[in-house]
Amino acid sequence: MSKAQAPAPERVRRVSPLRGLITRPEFGAIVGTTAVFLIFSAIAGGSGFLSVLGAANFLEVAAQVGIIGSAVSLLMIAGEFDLSVGSMVGAAGMIVALGIAQFGLPPVAAVALAFVFALFVGWLNGTVVVRTGLPSFIVTLGSLFILRGATIGLTRFVTGRTQVGGLDEFTRSDPFSQLFTAFVGIPQGTATAQFKVAIVWWIGLALLATFILLRTPFGNWIFGAGGSAVAARNVGVPVARVKVLLFMATAASAALLACIQVLSVGSGDVLRGGQKEFEAIITAVIGGTILTGGYGSAIGTTLGALTLGMTQMGIIFAGIPADWYQFVLGGLLLAAVFVNDWVRRRASETRR
Amino acid sequence: MTLDGPPLIEARGVSKYFGKVIAIEEISLQVRPGEVVCLLGDNGAGKSTLIKILSGVFPADSGSVLLEGEAVHFASPRDAIARGIATVYQDLAMIPLMSISRNFFLGSEPRRQIGPISIIDFAYADRITRQKLDQMGIHLRDTTQSVGTLSGGERQSVAIARAEYFGAKVLILDEPTSALGVKEAAVVLRHIVQARARGLGVILITHNVNHAYPVGDRFLILDRGRSVGTFSKAELRPDQLLSLMGGGEELSRLSHELESYARAVDAGAVPIEPPVQVGEDVAGGA
């Protein structure tokens, strides 16, 4: 090939290791998680935040939001939102609770039913979004209310109440339920710190999401679908299929969280999972995923979930009224958005 | 240049209507191996409609598309790509937030098996990306840097390299130079010439005569959906090409006006060249 060229502009860019780090999507999350940890260690370290009990507490909160967060962040990187995951937690949880307590299904069957239902709703959400081209924000805002309304209405129609309890007697001796309810107890004086199996699910799903995103062709398609759906389609990426599958994944992650909550507590409540859709988006954004798609990290989302867990429990350990949790979370979200915006500019800045 | 045998791709009397609007009517085009056909025309002339038919975005309402002499119906852009028709769109050539090697192989990732799981072979992807870009004169320190760090001309060049790597026989370039500076445009035009030398058929869409004339073998000029004619380079001078496109008279009148205006205000302080000569500069440089 001809290398004889007019004097070319500088082709080789030197990038310092520090610059390499700060242009990673996770950079903001690493800083944020460290800062939140240090702050609560300082103000609540003496009152239990740093204890084994404290860790068990904030890891459980982190695990619950992180399970949904992993799937939600992949979907956001693909350029779509799913606001219906919170309602799906309530709906899938009620299928499990009613299935076991009302209809006498074995837990494994009730759980399978909940997952089938979730995958179907996820498929429906995704198909409506890719077929109509409407913003997923609006479509899934609709399904958020439809799911919640149907859950409340049908549960009251079947049972006359909005809560279904008494699952313990069916699940206590059921080995399958242990998948969602097991824990490792570490005695701490009079109390016992319970490290729940939810933490394993959380870390496992985070690793799976990271692997898919960074190592597989499907992960490349996720980035492409969110970065520019038209450009990705032009080179043969099945954008619609990628998006539909991710909507199914977010719904399934909500069903998993529902199984963990309902089987651990032993009761279903139609209002379970309220605001989880927003918390999941917040963990993704704190983790460096941008709202317009094409950029983000599942590792970052895991750190975002940890930040959220530490904040929620740290406030309690610090003796601050829990009412202030949402205030702090909102502040964290805004700070994360500012940092991410800055990072993205650095990552994509064009040399002129 | 080989001119025997059937054309790589041919449009025979294709028409496309959007409701009452005639997007294009009775347009014919042939591209042979080692030939650059320029598709010229003002905004709204139907250039984009024609290439969307050729690249499988939508079918023609009438007329036919022939690939190496045989009638074809592209089911999708992916179908067209599989048959060797690669299209590089101006704004959509690359995804800025993704790395260069991820972009290069997007949709056709090289795979490696780990047990039952198939993962991207990044070592291979990085090596090929670097090699292909080196051949184009783009020397990267790091193929994992984002495409956003490349200039507009480099992005077009990478997209051309990718299309060739994946076996394109026909390269359709939609306004590849319109957002570029003079030097950058010259680099992209050089890649077009090189692709022609390797025996590809190239369809270059542009409304810039100065970019079309130096690299084009034949020129199809569209005006409001209809063909003004197909001309070989020997038949035309750049200024004739420009006036066929319908912009020549306006521009020469404008430059006369501006010249006399400048003379009246301050003779010599504001030199205004007739637009045609700019093209010859690029021709000389490329």
Side-chain angles (χ1 to χ4, degrees):
Chain A
M1 302 303 128
S2 163
K3 293 235 172 135
Q5 292 205 356
E10 179 61 49
R11 299 283 189 201
V12 179
R13 260 159 72 100
R14 298 209 66 66
V15 181
S16 75
L18 179 66
R19 190 187 175 81
L21 176 66
I22 66 176
T23 54
R24 294 288 312 156
E26 301 90 4
F27 172 72
I30 294 169
V31 172
T33 308
T34 312
V36 165
F37 179 76
L38 291 177
I39 289 168
F40 284 114
S41 296
I43 63 174
S47 49
F49 179 75
L50 287 175
S51 69
V52 176
L53 207 58
N57 276 328
F58 69 67
L59 283 177
E60 185 182 356
V61 175
Q64 294 215 355
V65 69
I67 285 170
I68 301 186
S70 293
V72 164
S73 64
L74 293 194
L75 182 66
M76 283 174 67
I77 295 169
E80 303 292 348
F81 287 101
D82 187 353
L83 296 180
S84 71
V85 286
S87 297
M88 180 52 79
V89 173
M94 202 41 83
I95 290 174
V96 172
L98 285 176
I100 295 172
Q102 192 81 18
F103 300 106
L105 292 175
V108 60
V111 166
L113 204 59
F115 272 94
V116 169
F117 174 75
L119 288 170
F120 171 72
V121 172
W123 173 83
L124 200 60
N125 275 336
T127 303
V128 169
V129 167
V130 300
R131 283 282 164 84
T132 62
L134 291 169
S136 51
F137 188 92
I138 295 301
V139 171
T140 59
L141 185 63
S143 37
L144 177 153
F145 281 96
I146 290 171
L147 271 180
R148 186 69 78 193
T151 307
I152 298 171
L154 287 173
T155 304
R156 209 190 291 277
F157 177 75
V158 172
T159 66
R161 290 168 293 135
T162 58
Q163 291 170 324
V164 175
L167 301 180
D168 283 347
E169 53 177 309
F170 301 100
T171 59
R172 201 179 299 120
S173 57
D174 172 45
F176 175 76
S177 301
Q178 293 295 309
L179 274 175
F180 309 103
T181 60
F183 61 86
V184 175
I186 299 179
Q188 294 289 303
T190 55
T192 302
Q194 294 187 355
F195 288 90
K196 302 271 176 68
V197 71
I199 299 168
V200 178
W201 281 107
W202 169 43
I203 301 299
L205 288 178
L207 290 174
L208 178 67
T210 301
F211 175 78
I212 289 173
L213 201 53
L214 297 183
R215 285 284 162 259
T216 67
F218 190 79
N220 214 33
W221 300 350
I222 293 175
F223 280 119
S228 168
V230 179
R233 217 174 282 126
N234 283 342
V235 293
V237 174
V239 172
R241 185 150 56 91
V242 168
K243 288 185 174 180
V244 171
L245 281 171
L246 290 174
F247 274 106
M248 293 170 76
T250 55
S253 74
L256 173 61
L257 178 59
C259 293
I260 289 168
Q261 287 191 346
V262 167
L263 296 176
S264 299
V265 178
S267 69
D269 185 324
V270 292
L271 296 181
R272 275 198 192 284
Q275 295 199 358
K276 273 285 179 284
E277 60 280 344
F278 296 116
E279 289 186 1
I281 291 172
I282 290 171
T283 59
V285 171
I286 290 175
T289 299
I290 63 172
L291 294 167
T292 45
Y295 192 74
S297 151
I299 299 172
T301 303
T302 310
L303 293 170
L306 191 57
T307 304
L308 195 136
M310 289 194 301
T311 305
Q312 189 170 346
M313 297 319 288
I315 284 173
I316 294 168
F317 281 114
I320 302 167
D323 308 335
W324 289 94
Y325 165 63
Q326 296 196 1
F327 176 88
V328 175
L329 196 59
L332 272 176
L333 175 67
L334 282 182
V337 171
F338 293 138
V339 171
N340 291 345
D341 189 52
W342 182 81
V343 169
R344 196 192 66 243
R345 279 171 208 273
R346 292 296 165 283
S348 65
E349 70 182 0
T350 307
R351 181 185 52 196
R352 291 288 177 201
Chain B
M1 219 192 292
T2 47
L3 290 177
D4 4 302
L8 281 174
I9 192 166
E10 177 177 4
R12 260 189 213 164
V14 296
S15 305
K16 182 80 189 175
Y17 310 99
F18 295 111
K20 286 180 183 170
V21 179
I22 299 167
I24 53 173
E25 194 161 65
E26 287 291 315
I27 302 293
S28 295
L29 167 84
Q30 295 187 342
V31 186
R32 291 168 193 283
E35 184 180 46
V36 177
V37 176
C38 294
L39 196 51
L40 294 152
D42 211 345
N43 291 338
K47 305 188 296 286
S48 298
T49 305
L50 179 56
I51 62 153
K52 280 180 178 163
I53 291 169
L54 295 178
S55 60
V57 175
F58 45 58
D61 290 330
S62 66
S64 53
V65 176
L66 289 84
L67 198 61
E68 294 179 316
E70 287 179 29
V72 284
H73 295 279
F74 297 131
S76 65
R78 191 169 192 166
D79 187 19
I81 293 167
R83 292 159 183 260
I85 314 297
T87 309
V88 176
Y89 294 93
Q90 181 194 343
D91 303 324
L92 298 167
M94 295 269 125
I95 298 176
L97 285 167
M98 289 175 75
S99 79
I100 297 163
S101 54
R102 276 179 179 272
N103 259 287
F104 196 97
F105 285 96
L106 181 62
S108 314
E109 292 80 4
R111 297 175 191 216
R112 184 157 70 83
Q113 290 293 128
I114 295 188
I117 304 160
S118 143
I119 66 167
I120 301 179
D121 188 344
F122 276 108
Y124 178 83
D126 288 338
R127 192 174 72 244
I128 296 294
T129 305
R130 184 183 297 275
Q131 186 186 326
K132 292 295 153 193
L133 266 61
D134 269 346
Q135 286 172 4
M136 292 209 128
I138 301 170
H139 305 293
L140 297 168
R141 193 189 75 90
D142 185 4
T143 54
T144 63
Q145 74 193 58
S146 75
V147 159
T149 63
L150 294 178
S151 67
E154 287 169 336
R155 287 182 213 189
Q156 291 291 331
S157 305
V158 175
I160 294 171
R162 174 174 64 186
E164 277 197 55
Y165 177 75
F166 287 110
K169 288 181 257 177
V170 178
L171 203 52
I172 301 176
L173 303 171
D174 183 17
E175 302 272 3
T177 57
S178 66
L180 304 182
V182 175
K183 274 185 191 164
E184 292 251 294
V187 170
V188 173
L189 292 174
R190 182 177 298 113
H191 292 324
I192 294 172
V193 173
Q194 288 168 354
R196 173 178 62 182
R198 286 191 288 271
L200 273 77
V202 180
I203 301 175
L204 171 63
I205 294 90
T206 179
H207 52 242
N208 189 333
V209 173
N210 305 324
H211 292 163
Y213 196 78
V215 299
D217 296 304
R218 288 189 300 123
F219 306 90
L220 168 59
I221 300 164
L222 299 182
D223 183 25
R224 278 159 288 179
R226 292 185 173 84
S227 171
V228 176
T230 305
F231 306 91
S232 73
K233 197 163 185 164
E235 294 177 277
L236 285 176
R237 292 194 316 273
D239 57 322
Q240 291 172 314
L241 195 54
L242 187 60
S243 56
L244 279 169
M245 281 173 66
E249 280 171 34
E250 282 90 339
L251 277 178
S252 72
R253 200 181 322 121
L254 179 64
S255 67
H256 282 305
E257 270 176 39
L258 290 171
E259 269 176 0
S260 51
Y261 175 75
R263 235 178 276 122
V265 176
D266 184 4
V270 191
I272 297 170
E273 296 175 0
V276 173
Q277 289 176 9
V278 179
E280 284 161 5
D281 284 352
V282 172

